[in-house]
Amino acid sequence: MASKSPSEGASTDEKPAILIIGGLGYIGRFLALYIHDNKLASEVRLVDKVLPQLARLPPEFSEACHTSKFMQADASRPQSNERIFTPTKAKHYTYVFNCGAETRYSQDPSIYDLRNTQLSKNLATYISQQKPPHKPSLVEFSTGMIYKPPSDSTIASGGCTETAQLKPWLKISKAKLKGEETLEEIAHTCGPEGLNYATLRLGHVYGRFDTGFLARGLCIARVYQHIGKEMKWLWGKSLRVNTVHIEDVCTAAWAAAQWASLHPTSSTSTQKQKMNDVAFNITDDGDLSQEKLASLFHTIFAIETGFQNTLINQFAKMNLDAVVGEVNEEILQPWADLLKAKGLNAGQGSPLSPFMEKELIKDCDLSLNNGKAKRELGWVVREREMTAEGIRGILRSYEGVGWWP
């Protein structure tokens, strides 16, 4: 944040009380660490279905995610609300961050509906029923993959803005859009007090200990380094895969919580806010493309990188299952060999994997315009683009906890 948070320098009693749903997930744990390191809160509660002992928390999270702050609960169930929303010391929570979601790919739509859409609905419904000053502000984490893939002219002009046409292209993003629509409906039917909330539509999140989009690519690059083959990419150089560093996600989330506390939506407003009005694209300034990412992998791993020709791309569009299966067949055994040589076991010794999901290999541009977040939230992007040194830092984080072969 460019300006000092109102919570900084305040006495402990004046600082906000924080509830983080999905508090042991990737975003949740870093948000807890950000709040802890900057002493922003009087109280923090982390709610998750996974126990801390099973969450693979690196040592640096030991204080921020201490078991004394943890509550095991399923926040998608109304039966859990009273327990979740009753603070230990504070009178009420000031900010609620919904980092909880099913993030695995290729799940049944009913799973995404329960763990994404219904989770958002339950939290917003409960919050909307509270009366000021006990009504907290809500920050909802969504995805930039809810937009219709943009045209070349939209990409050239800076990417999708928050008013771009919505047409999600993953099962996860479809559930997230339903969640956003549900929040809008609740905000407009919950009475004059309204609902204070903001939604963050994220690019691919990366950073230390990442096990998501970037991590998968790094694992694949490591395999091709090991077997001495060229790493070839589908679809083309210009395909956008916009990213945002986890630490910038945290500063954006805090800024959004403060913004939401001052901007209630209400059924009695003269002009009802739409869900796009309270949405903010959160991405860095690098406008990452496959060409740039391939160049970074070439630099870091000293491997040849290239792109498939038009014929192969056309074949892949018609036979994606076969293509993905072939790639996995080529890379999974060498990865297992690398882990074994390093004394690691997949899943137990290391949560990293090069396994490719069909849903991830989409010929769809993720190109986001972050101007609104900068203007309205006062958000400052610190990690302005992905760099080779930044990726090397991620690899060092893996090595430090014994994840990297």
Side-chain angles (χ1 to χ4, degrees):
M1 291 288 294
S3 59
K4 192 174 184 180
S5 165
S7 299
E8 295 181 65
S11 69
T12 300
D13 290 341
E14 294 174 327
K15 293 178 182 180
I18 307 302
L19 176 61
I20 304 177
I21 306 300
L24 299 186
Y26 187 65
I27 294 176
R29 65 181 62 176
F30 269 96
L31 183 57
L33 183 63
Y34 171 75
I35 292 169
H36 173 79
D37 287 349
N38 290 282
K39 300 178 172 61
L40 297 177
S42 61
E43 178 179 345
V44 176
R45 170 170 288 168
L46 311 176
V47 174
D48 209 300
K49 291 187 296 184
V50 177
L51 289 169
Q53 297 89 332
L54 303 176
R56 306 189 69 109
L57 290 168
E60 68 185 78
F61 296 94
S62 59
E63 290 187 31
C65 300
H66 193 269
T67 52
S68 62
K69 302 177 182 180
F70 174 75
M71 174 183 289
Q72 186 180 32
D74 182 351
S76 68
R77 296 168 58 87
Q79 300 94 314
S80 302
N81 288 340
E82 287 299 330
R83 193 163 64 97
I84 289 172
F85 280 94
T86 302
T88 302
K89 296 177 290 185
K91 294 180 179 179
H92 60 88
Y93 288 111
T94 317
Y95 302 147
V96 176
F97 297 92
N98 181 19
C99 309
E102 176 58 71
T103 57
R104 294 176 299 170
Y105 294 95
S106 305
Q107 302 299 301
D108 188 90
S110 62
I111 298 295
Y112 296 120
D113 180 69
L114 173 63
R115 298 178 183 173
N116 295 24
T117 307
Q118 293 302 315
L119 171 61
S120 300
K121 180 179 180 180
N122 182 53
L123 294 174
T125 299
Y126 183 86
I127 291 171
S128 72
Q129 293 167 350
Q130 308 311 301
K131 301 296 182 183
H134 300 286
K135 184 193 290 284
S137 299
L138 172 66
V139 177
E140 176 80 5
F141 289 86
S142 187
T143 172
M145 288 179 275
I146 69 169
Y147 297 112
K148 179 182 179 180
S151 64
D152 290 343
S153 61
T154 298
I155 294 172
S157 65
C160 295
T161 66
E162 289 77 0
T163 58
Q165 182 178 348
L166 300 177
K167 188 178 180 181
W169 33 278
L170 293 178
K171 285 187 285 187
I172 293 175
S173 52
K174 289 177 182 178
K176 282 296 186 182
L177 177 55
K178 288 181 182 177
E180 288 194 38
E181 292 170 341
T182 299
L183 293 189
E184 180 185 49
E185 180 181 348
I186 291 170
H188 292 161
T189 57
C190 66
E193 291 86 8
L195 180 69
N196 294 59
Y197 79 104
T199 302
L200 303 184
R201 295 172 177 169
L202 306 175
H204 291 297
V205 180
Y206 75 99
R208 291 170 294 145
F209 313 113
D210 169 41
T211 59
F213 170 79
L214 177 63
R216 206 173 304 246
L218 293 174
C219 293
I220 294 172
R222 177 69 181 92
V223 167
Y224 281 111
Q225 180 190 51
H226 173 63
I227 64 179
K229 290 184 65 175
E230 180 181 12
M231 183 177 178
K232 301 198 79 171
W233 305 57
L234 286 171
W235 313 138
K237 299 178 179 181
S238 64
L239 188 74
R240 294 313 199 268
V241 285
N242 284 191
T243 54
V244 59
H245 194 276
I246 182 60
E247 293 177 10
D248 282 319
V249 172
C250 294
T251 59
W254 192 258
Q258 294 176 320
W259 179 91
S261 68
L262 301 174
H263 294 82
T265 61
S266 172
S267 60
T268 59
S269 299
T270 304
Q271 183 176 357
K272 290 184 179 180
Q273 283 187 310
K274 301 298 183 182
M275 63 183 187
N276 293 338
D277 296 331
V278 299
F280 298 91
N281 292 335
I282 304 300
T283 186
D284 60 30
D285 298 328
D287 192 27
L288 189 69
S289 65
Q290 286 202 143
E291 181 177 26
K292 292 180 184 178
L293 191 55
S295 177
L296 289 170
F297 285 3
H298 168 74
T299 299
I300 294 162
F301 294 97
I303 59 174
E304 291 301 315
T305 58
F307 292 85
Q308 302 288 1
N309 60 38
T310 303
L311 185 62
I312 296 296
N313 283 328
Q314 289 297 327
F315 175 82
K317 287 182 180 181
M318 302 297 295
N319 302 274
L320 195 53
D321 283 326
V323 171
V324 171
E326 187 175 326
V327 171
N328 283 328
E329 187 174 341
E330 181 179 41
I331 63 178
L332 290 180
Q333 186 57 53
W335 177 254
D337 295 340
L338 284 167
L339 292 177
K340 184 178 180 179
K342 199 68 180 274
L344 302 172
N345 296 315
Q348 299 173 1
S350 174
L352 304 174
S353 172
F355 181 77
M356 290 302 300
E357 297 275 4
K358 176 182 174 181
E359 282 196 294
L360 269 177
I361 310 176
K362 289 278 189 177
D363 188 13
C364 296
D365 289 283
L366 178 60
S367 178
L368 303 175
N369 188 310
N370 63 15
K372 181 184 175 186
K374 292 178 177 178
R375 291 189 307 271
E376 296 193 21
L377 302 181
W379 178 54
V380 176
V381 184
R382 294 174 178 175
E383 295 288 336
R384 299 191 64 183
E385 64 179 353
M386 189 181 290
T387 64
E389 183 51 39
I391 293 178
R392 290 190 180 101
I394 294 171
L395 296 178
R396 288 193 294 270
S397 77
Y398 296 155
E399 291 168 349
V401 291
W403 292 357
W404 189 251

